[in-house]
Amino acid sequence: TEIYTLSLHDALPICVQSIPTPEAAPETVQDLIVTAKNLLLYSWYYYPFGVTAALQSMIAIEGALKIRMAAKPRDNLGYLLDKAIKQGLITDAGFPRWKAYRETFQDIYKLPRTEGNLTQILLDTLPDFRNTIAHGNRFLDDMGFHHLDIACETIAQLFPIANTAGPTIPGD
């Protein structure tokens, strides 16, 4: 009997494919996510692409926020994220996958081990993380998958899929 084991090389495409691209997001935002997914796949061959995928994910969040919040040119990521959270567009309930690996995320950013408010963690870390990478820091981590997943969950909340079933008719 032959035993087949799945290597990380074989599993990576499955993991990346398991992250849903937010269907209702504008095409420009979806393109940013697809680029991040491809960078993450190719990080198997060139490790720094994982960091570039994480940055691309953060750029996708900012792009989605700018569109959804009808941002002014001076509105930055932190401001838009805070505004979207305060308006209830982004909530803890919208991060079902993130809840599964919250402890890992807290380890990366050296946050205290608490249940915590996921949107507050996002607000406290995302703008600084994006700036750290975007401004030439050679930061490397192996969390590109998680950054991409969090980006997709955030964007899906900003652009939820509309209910296309139509109204229900009593007695039907």
Side-chain angles (χ1 to χ4, degrees):
T1 305
E2 224 177 292
I3 297 175
Y4 179 77
T5 58
L6 193 64
S7 72
L8 179 59
H9 181 263
D10 296 328
L12 189 60
I14 296 166
C15 291
V16 171
Q17 186 178 1
S18 75
I19 301 172
T21 301
E23 293 177 35
E27 187 176 349
T28 55
V29 175
Q30 288 187 27
D31 287 347
L32 292 167
I33 291 297
V34 169
T35 300
K37 285 183 173 187
N38 280 293
L39 284 163
L40 192 55
L41 281 172
Y42 282 95
S43 71
W44 173 260
Y45 300 104
Y46 184 66
Y47 189 73
F49 278 169
V51 176
T52 309
L55 176 60
Q56 189 75 8
S57 300
M58 304 306 112
I59 292 169
I61 291 173
E62 187 168 16
L65 283 164
K66 285 183 179 214
I67 293 167
R68 181 67 168 87
M69 305 301 291
K72 297 178 178 117
R74 71 178 183 280
D75 293 343
N76 64 30
L77 177 59
Y79 171 79
L80 293 170
L81 192 56
D82 185 49
K83 188 175 174 182
I85 291 167
K86 285 179 179 171
Q87 289 182 11
L89 297 174
I90 299 172
T91 65
D92 285 1
F95 294 104
R97 292 168 61 109
W98 186 10
K99 289 178 185 179
Y101 51 78
R102 175 188 309 157
E103 288 182 6
T104 304
F105 193 80
Q106 288 173 332
D107 285 346
I108 290 172
Y109 297 106
K110 298 181 182 26
L111 298 171
R113 286 289 188 148
T114 62
E115 285 300 305
N117 177 325
L118 296 177
T119 54
Q120 190 61 50
I121 293 170
L122 191 66
L123 184 59
D124 290 345
T125 60
L126 185 70
D128 288 338
F129 177 73
R130 192 278 319 264
N131 288 341
T132 296
I133 297 173
H135 296 291
N137 188 311
R138 288 284 299 161
F139 175 84
L140 286 177
D141 74 3
D142 60 352
M143 299 298 293
F145 176 86
H146 297 294
H147 296 300
L148 177 60
D149 206 5
I150 290 166
C152 287
E153 286 187 324
T154 302
I155 294 165
Q157 290 184 69
L158 293 170
F159 297 98
I161 297 174
N163 181 1
T164 56
T168 56
I169 301 169
D172 241 9

